[in-house]
Amino acid sequence: MSPNGTREYTATPSGIAQAADLLRQGLLVAFPTETVYGLGGDARNGEAVASIYAAKGRPSFNPLIAHVASVEAAQRFVEWSDLAEKLARAFWPGPLTLVLPLRPDHGISSLVTAGLDTLAVRVPAHPTARALLGAFDGPVAAPSANPSGQISPTTADHVRAGLDGRIAAILDDGPCGVGLESTIVGLAGAPALLRPGGVALEQIESVLNTKLHLHLPGDPLSAPGQLQSHYAPDAPVRLNACETQGDEVLLGFGSVECDSNLSPDGNLTEAAANLFAALHSLNETGRPIAVSPIPDHGLGVAINDRLRRAAAPRDS
C-alpha cells in the first residue's frame, strides 16, 4: 500500500507506465481485464504475492492466475502441449485460463501456485491489461480485485469500495466487457473444466474434439474460484425464485418484474456482463436477494456457478 493511500491512474501511456513501475517495486495495482478487475502483483516476488493475499483476506491454499502478455511469455513458465496450443490459438488473448505443469526454471513464487506443481496462466484481451503487461514485461499474479469471497469488481468504483487504502493504485479504464471471470481448463492430466467462465464449455470441447472432465465439489482445490462460498453479497441469496418472499429484492432474467434485470431480452452474454454489477447494486439495499432462474447452457453454466457459490453457506 502506498503511504499516501490508494492512488488512481487513468489508462493513458503515462498512467500505465506509472502502474508498471509500482509493480516493479513489489506493490499492488488493480487493473481492468475483459473479465473483471484484477489485483496485480509481480508473480515472481513472494512478498508482493503475500500482500495480495493480505489485501484480499484470501486463504493461502487458493491458487492465483498469472497473467502474461503472450503465448511465448506463458511458455517461459509452463510445460506447453499440443492441447494448450490448440486452445491458445482459438481463445487467446481472451477469457480462458490454462492450468499446466510448471517448468523447472519457472521462477514463479510458490504462493501463486499454493504449493502445487502447476500454474494457472492466461493472456488477457483487454488493451489496458495488455499494455500494462507489456510495460511491466513479466508475469502478474492477479485474482479479482475485491475482498476474498465477496462480489467480483467490474468497475474501478467496485475496487475502491472494497480495497481503498489496502493497495497502491487502481488503473481505471471503465467497466469490464465480459463481466465474468475466465474459464479455467486443466491440462496437467486429462483435459478438465476446473471453473466455468467467459468461454463456454461447448466451445472448448469443439476445439479439442473431446469431452472435458468436470471438477466436483469434493475434489481438491486446483484452481481459483473453486471454494464453495465465493462471490458472495453480505445478504443471503436464494436461487431459482419465481417471486420474492418477505423483504427480498429480485434479480431478474428475461421478461419479469424485478428490482434489477440481468437481461430483459434473455441474452446470456448481456447477463454475464451485468451479473456482478447487479449484485453490487442489490447488496447496497441490505435486503436478501432472490434470483430468477437462469438457463443452464452456454454462459448460463458459468453464471449459475457464480450464483450457487454466492448462495452457499458462508464459512464461519
Side-chain angles (χ1 to χ4, degrees), residues 83 185-194 211-213:
L83 294 182
V185 173
L187 295 177
L193 180 69
L194 302 180
K211 292 288 185 181
L212 298 186
H213 293 271

Side-chain angles (χ1 to χ4, degrees), residues 239-255:
L239 305 182
N240 297 314
C242 296
E243 57 186 20
T244 57
Q245 299 176 357
D247 194 35
E248 290 177 335
V249 289
L250 180 63
L251 177 58
F253 177 83
S255 181

Side-chain angles (χ1 to χ4, degrees), residues 175-211:
C176 301
V178 175
L180 195 68
E181 291 89 354
S182 62
T183 301
I184 303 180
V185 173
L187 295 177
L193 180 69
L194 302 180
R195 180 183 74 181
V199 177
L201 171 65
E202 297 89 339
Q203 294 176 277
I204 296 166
E205 291 181 335
S206 176
V207 168
L208 295 182
N209 196 29
T210 187
K211 292 288 185 181

